[in-house]
C-alpha cells in the first residue's frame, strides 16, 4: 500500500511502535490536530477472526520471537535463554496480550532515592515528576481505557469463584485491601461490549472488552485522517542531521525493502528492549555511544518487576479458569515497610492460567515426575497468584548489543542481563511465604511454584532524570541530548514501583502529547 504521507516529508512525526505508549501517543496527537503522523510497527495487523481462545496458538502468533539472549543470575537465563521477555510484535503491541491490571504508582514510588536512601548495589534515582504531576493524567487514562473497579471508573467486574476464595482467604489472614481495577469494561461503552467472562484476556480478548490500542487508540487515530499506520515496518536506525537533531528513520518493509522516512520529531515506543537497542544501533561518528547516550545510561537499569508464580491447591474445586485472567488483587503488602527486611512492596495478583500454560510452566524443583503429575491432576482445585513487586534499578541489569550474533535484519541481537538485587530476593521470598501461609490458613493442602516466566513488564532502560548525567530523558520523555527525540514507552521509568506499568505508560503518553503540541506551536521542536 502506498504511504499516505511522503517519505521525504520532513514535517512527519514518526512514532516507532504501536503498543501502550506509541498507540496512545499517536491518537492523542491526532485528536489535537497534529497532522502527518507516521506510525511504524514491526509486527502485522491481526484481524478479529485470527484471535483464538488458545493459549499456545496465540502466544506463537503474537509474540516477539526474533532472536534475543538472556544472561545473568535470573532463572530465565536457563529456562528461556532466547526468550528474556514475553512481548508482542503486532499492531497494538503488548496491549494485545496484557491482562488489564491497572494500578497507579504510590507517591513514594516516584521518590525512591529520597525514601529508601542510598542502597548499595542499586542505582536509585527519584523521578523528575511527582505523583501530583501525573494524577490528572491518571484520571484521564482511567476514562480513556474504560477501567472498572477503580475510583472514577466503571463498576467492578463480577466476582468469580477464584475471587471469592482468594478474598475470603485474605480476609481470614488479616488482609483488608482486596481490589480489582482492570482495563476491562464492566458495562458497554466507547463502542465496545462489556466483559463476557470468557477468560482468554491474555490471548487478545476476541470481543474487545479489554482495552488494547489496536481496538481503541489506533482506529480512532486513523479515523482522523492524520495518521499513516505502516505495519510490518521494522525500524533499523534513527538518523540525524549535521546539527545533531534527528532527521528520519530507516525501516524495512515486509518485502525486505528499505525506506528512509524523513521526520520533524521521532518518538520511540518499541518497549524497553527494542527502544534502547535502536538507540545503540543508531551510533554514528558524532554519537559513538549511540543516540541520546551522553550519560552512558541507555540500556542500563533494566527492571522487570520482582515476581513469583504460585498455585495453591485446595481439596474442593475452584475452577480458576472461569472468568477474567486476573480475578482479584490483594494490595496489603504494597507499601514501603523496611521492618519486613526490604524496601518497596508487592501485590498479590490472583491469577488463573489455562491447563496448557500451567502444564508447560510448572516444573517443580524435583523436575518431571510424580510431583508434577499429581499437581496437574489437581488443576481444577488450584488458586493461582502472581506476586508482582518492585525491582530495584541496578546499572548492571541491562540491554547491550551482542558482539557477533545478528538477527534477520542484520542487526546485533539484544542481550538482556538481569540478576536479583538482595532486596529483590527478600521481597520475593516474603511474597511466597505470605501467600502460602494465607492459603494454608484457609484450607489449602499444597502450594506449587512455577519458575519465573520471561519478563512481561520491561522497564527503565532509557530512564527519566532531572540531571542529564543520571538518565536519558527529561520529565517529558524528551532526550536530554536531542530535543526532537522522545521516548514514549516503559523504558522511561525511573523506578518500577510495585504496580503493573501500563496505566502509567498511558498516562505519561497523554501528558507527553500535550507537551509536544505545545513545543510544536512555539516552534521549539
Ligand atoms: C502476558 C502479558 C500480560 C500483561 N499484563 C499486564 C497487566 O495486567 N497490567 C499491566 O499494566 N501490564 C501488563 N503487561 C505489560 C504491558 O503489556 C506492557 O507494559 C505495555 O504494553 C508496554 O507498552 P510499551 O508501549 O512500552 O510497549 P509495547 O506495548 O510492547 O509496544 C511496543 C511495540 O513496538 C514495536 N516495535 C519494537 N521495536 C520496533 C522497531 N524497531 N520498529 C518498529 N516497531 C517496533 C513492537 O512490535 C510492539 O508492537 C502484560 C504483558 C504481557 C505480555
Ligand atoms: S474475560 Fe472479558 S476481557 Fe477477558 S477475554 Fe473474555 S471478554 Fe475479554
Amino acid at each position: 500500500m502506498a504511504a499516505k504521507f511522503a517519505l521525504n516529508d520532513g514535517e512527519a512525526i514518526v512514532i516507532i511502535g504501536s503498543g501502550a505508549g506509541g498507540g496512545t501517543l499517536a491518537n492523542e496527537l491526532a485528536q489535537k490536530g497534529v497532522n502527518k503522523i507516521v506510525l511504524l510497527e514491526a509486527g502485522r495487523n491481526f484481524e478479529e477472526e485470527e484471535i483464538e481462545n488458545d493459549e499456545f496458538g496465540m502466544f506463537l502468533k503474537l509474540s516477539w520471537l526474533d532472536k534475543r539472549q538472556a544472561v545473568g543470575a535470573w532463572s530465565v537465563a536457563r529456562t528461556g535463554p532466547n526468550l528474556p521477555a514475553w512481548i508482542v510484535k503486532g499492531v497494538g503491541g503488548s496491549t494485545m496480550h496484557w491482562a488489564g491490571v491497572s494500578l497507579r504508582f504510590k507517591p513514594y514510588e516516584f521518590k525512591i532515592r529520597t525514601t529508601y536512601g542510598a542502597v548499595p548495589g542499586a542505582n536509585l534515582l527519584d523521578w523528575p515528576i511527582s505523583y501530583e504531576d501525573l494524577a490528572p493524567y491518571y484520571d484521564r487514562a482511567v476514562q480513556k481505557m474504560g477501567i472498572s473497579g477503580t475510583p472514577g471508573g466503571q463498576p467492578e467486574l463480577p466476582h468469580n469463584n477464584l475471587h471469592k476464595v482468594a478474598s475470603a482467604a485474605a480476609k481470614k489472614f488479616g488482609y483488608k485491601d482486596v481490589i480489582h481495577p482492570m482495563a476491562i469494561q464492566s458495562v458497554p461503552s466507547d463502542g465496545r461490549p462489556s466483559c463476557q467472562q470468557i477468560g482468554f484476556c491474555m490471548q487478545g480478548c476476541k470481543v474487545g472488552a479489554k482495552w488494547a490500542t489496536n481496538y481503541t487508540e489506533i482506529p480512532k487515530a486513523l479515523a482522523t485522517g492524520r495518521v499513516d499506520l505502516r505495519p510490518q515496518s521494522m525500524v533499523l536506525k534513527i538518523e540525524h542531521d549535521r546539527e545533531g537533531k534527528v532527521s528520519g528513520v530507516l525501516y524495512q518493509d515486509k518485502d525486505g525493502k528499505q525506506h528512509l522516512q524523513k521526520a520533524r520529531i521521532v518518538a520511540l515506543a518499541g518497549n524497553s528492549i527494542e527502544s534502547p537497542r535502536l538507540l545503540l544501533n543508531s551510533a554514528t561518528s558524532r554519537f559513538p555511544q549511540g543516540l541520546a547516550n551522553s550519560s552512558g545510561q541507555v540500556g542500563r537499569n533494566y527492571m522487570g518487576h520482582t515476581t513469583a508464580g504460585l498455585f495453591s491447591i485446595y481439596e474442593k474445586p475452584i475452577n480458576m479458569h472461569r472468568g477474567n485472567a486476573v480475578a482479584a488483587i490483594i494490595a496489603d503488602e504494597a507499601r514501603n515497610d523496611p521492618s519486613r527486611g526490604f524496601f518497596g512492596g508487592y501485590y498479590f495478583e490472583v491469577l488463573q492460567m489455562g491447563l496448557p500454560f500451567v502444564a508447560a510452566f510448572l516444573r517443580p524443583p524435583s523436575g518431571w515426575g510424580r510431583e508434577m503429575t499429581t499437581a496437574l491432576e489437581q488443576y481444577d482445585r488450584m488458586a493461582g497468584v502472581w506476586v508482582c513487586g518492585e525491582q530495584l534499578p541496578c546499572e548492571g541489569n541491562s540491554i547491550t548489543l551482542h558482539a557477533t550474533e545478528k538477527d534477520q535484519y542484520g542487526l546485533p541481537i539484544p542481550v538482556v542481563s538481569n540478576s536479583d538485587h538482595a532486596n529483590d530476593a527478600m521481597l520475593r521470598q516474603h511474597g511466597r511465604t505470605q501467600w502460602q501461609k494465607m492459603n494454608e490458613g484457609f484450607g489449602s493442602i499444597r502450594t506449587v511454584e512455577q519458575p519465573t516466566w520471561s519478563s512481561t513488564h520491561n522497564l527503565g532502560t532509557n530512564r527519566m532524570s532531572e540531571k542529564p548525567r543520571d538518565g536519558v530523558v527529561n520529565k517529558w520523555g524528551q532526550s536530554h541530548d536531542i530535543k526532537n527525540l522522545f521516548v514514549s514507552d516503559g523504558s522511561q521509568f525511573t523506578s518500577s514501583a510495585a504496580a503493573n506499568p501500563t496505566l502509567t505508560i498511558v498516562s505519561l503518553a497523554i501528558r507527553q502529547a500535550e507537551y509536544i503540541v505545545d513545543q510544536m506551536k512555539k516552534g521549539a521542536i
Side-chain angles (χ1 to χ4, degrees), residues 148-275:
S148 55
T150 198
Q154 298 183 3
E156 195 163 302
L157 290 161
H159 295 171
N160 66 2
N161 205 35
L162 177 59
H163 181 113
K164 289 176 191 157
V165 170
S167 175
K171 292 202 170 131
K172 185 162 183 229
F173 192 59
Y175 287 148
K176 296 187 171 58
D177 202 6
V178 181
I179 54 176
H180 200 207
M182 304 295 291
I184 295 178
Q185 302 203 123
S186 57
V187 290
S189 114
D190 198 29
R192 295 185 289 125
S194 59
C195 176
Q196 308 299 304
Q197 297 288 326
I198 308 164
F200 288 88
C201 317
M202 293 200 283
Q203 283 65 51
C205 184
K206 200 166 174 59
V207 300
K210 183 189 76 171
W211 180 87
T213 56
N214 54 314
Y215 286 144
T216 58
E217 307 306 305
I218 296 170
K220 286 180 188 172
L222 293 175
T224 65
R226 301 187 184 109
V227 178
D228 182 354
L229 169 67
R230 297 185 203 157
Q232 293 176 287
S233 299
M234 171 74 181
V235 178
L236 311 174
K237 191 173 183 200
I238 303 174
E239 309 242 322
H240 64 80
D241 61 17
R242 272 203 227 146
E243 292 154 30
K245 279 167 52 185
V246 292
S247 55
V249 303
L250 182 72
Y251 70 93
Q252 183 164 316
D253 70 16
K254 66 177 184 349
D255 302 317
K257 286 199 194 121
Q258 295 193 355
H259 309 272
L260 180 64
Q261 172 66 55
K262 294 269 179 206
R264 172 174 172 179
I265 295 169
V266 173
L268 185 49
N271 208 316
S272 298
I273 298 178
E274 291 308 309
S275 288

Side-chain angles (χ1 to χ4, degrees), residues 274-298:
E274 291 308 309
S275 288
R277 179 190 182 213
L278 186 51
L279 293 175
L280 295 173
N281 271 329
S282 300
T284 59
S285 54
R286 178 165 182 153
F287 298 114
Q289 297 195 93
L291 290 190
N293 197 18
S294 63
S295 62
Q297 291 291 308
V298 168

Side-chain angles (χ1 to χ4, degrees), residues 16-22 40-43 64 68 86-103 182 202 233-236 269-272 274-275 278 326 349 386 455-459 488-491 499-503 505:
I16 303 167
S18 64
L40 296 173
E41 169 52 56
W64 185 290
R68 289 172 166 166
W86 182 357
I87 293 181
V88 171
K89 185 181 200 178
V91 174
S94 307
T95 64
M96 291 274 280
H97 240 325
W98 80 313
V101 175
S102 296
L103 294 159
M182 304 295 291
M202 293 200 283
S233 299
M234 171 74 181
V235 178
L236 311 174
N271 208 316
S272 298
E274 291 308 309
S275 288
L278 186 51
V326 174
E349 307 198 342
W386 195 51
S455 181
T456 54
H457 300 169
N458 297 277
L459 305 163
S488 314
D489 58 17
S491 68
N500 311 45
T502 307
L503 177 61
I505 296 173

Side-chain angles (χ1 to χ4, degrees), residues 104 130-140 507:
R104 297 180 186 217
S130 65
Y131 177 82
E132 288 69 32
D133 291 324
L134 205 56
Y137 300 94
Y138 273 138
D139 293 343
R140 281 164 61 182
S507 306

